[in-house]
Amino acid sequence: MPKLVVLSEGFKNRSCELKAGEKTTVGRLEDNSFFIPEPSVSGHHCEVYLKGTDVFVKDLNSTNGTYVDDNRVLEGMVKPGQTLRLGQVELRLDNGAPPAAPKKTAEPMPTNVKTGVRLNDLEQAAHTTKVEVNPAFKKKSDKINRLFIGIGVALGVIVVLLLLYAVLGPSGQ
C-alpha cells in the first residue's frame, strides 16, 4: 500500500498510508487525515488520493504551494520515489519498493500557475539595468513655492493693516 513519508527534520518517522477510495487531507490543522504542525503548511494544504494504482495530489489553495519534484502543481500525479513539498516540508511517496531514479520533471496536469521571480534574477537585473527617471518625477525647483509664500505674507500684512484701520478708524485714535 502506498504511503507518504516525511523527510524533513523534526517530522521524520511520520508517515501516512493512503487508502483506496479515500481522500487523504494533509495540513497544519488537527482535523486533517495527515496532520503536519509546521507553520509553512496551510491549515488544509492538499488532498492526496488513489485512482487505481496511481497517486494524485490536489492543492487546496495553499499559501506556499504544492510541489512535485520542484514543479508547482494544482493537481498532478505523484510516482513512487518522487518528492512532494508542502511549504517547507518534504515528503516522499513510498510504495514499499526501492525508489525510482529521481527525475527532473514531474508529470503535473497542465495548470496556469505562474512562478515568481527568483532572487538571483533580481540581483542580476539590478546590476545590469539602467533606470531612467521619468521627467514627471524629477525634483521640482523651489521658485514656485517661494512665490506662493511671498504672496501669502504680503496678503497677510495687508489683512492686518486693514484690520488695524477698521479698529482704530481713520483718525488713528
Side-chain angles (χ1 to χ4, degrees), residues 6-72:
V6 180
L7 304 174
S8 298
E9 282 298 321
F11 300 102
K12 286 188 175 180
N13 299 326
R14 281 184 166 234
S15 63
C16 178
E17 281 197 18
L18 304 175
K19 297 175 182 143
E22 290 184 22
K23 289 184 178 180
T24 302
T25 58
V26 183
R28 188 180 66 243
L29 298 177
E30 293 180 21
D31 64 347
N32 287 287
S33 308
F34 192 24
F35 167 58
I36 303 176
E38 208 284 326
S40 67
V41 176
S42 291
H44 295 100
H45 200 101
C46 67
E47 291 178 341
V48 181
Y49 55 95
L50 293 169
K51 263 190 185 175
T53 58
D54 295 328
V55 177
F56 290 89
V57 63
K58 178 181 180 183
D59 186 81
L60 298 175
N61 296 320
S62 64
T63 302
N64 293 316
T66 300
Y67 295 80
V68 176
D69 282 345
D70 295 325
N71 295 307
R72 188 167 186 166

Side-chain angles (χ1 to χ4, degrees), residues 78-141:
V78 185
K79 293 188 177 182
Q82 284 188 311
T83 302
L84 179 64
R85 183 167 47 91
L86 314 176
Q88 298 296 317
V89 176
E90 289 192 345
L91 305 100
R92 182 186 66 238
L93 179 62
D94 190 1
N95 67 352
K103 290 172 35 174
K104 275 292 187 192
T105 57
E107 297 181 24
M109 296 175 81
T111 63
N112 289 334
V113 176
K114 294 181 181 180
T115 59
V117 177
R118 296 177 189 206
L119 183 58
N120 290 342
D121 295 341
L122 288 175
E123 288 172 350
Q124 204 170 31
H127 295 294
T128 60
T129 305
K130 181 182 177 191
V131 178
E132 292 183 27
V133 179
N134 183 337
F137 295 106
K138 287 187 178 178
K139 186 176 178 182
K140 304 286 186 215
S141 72

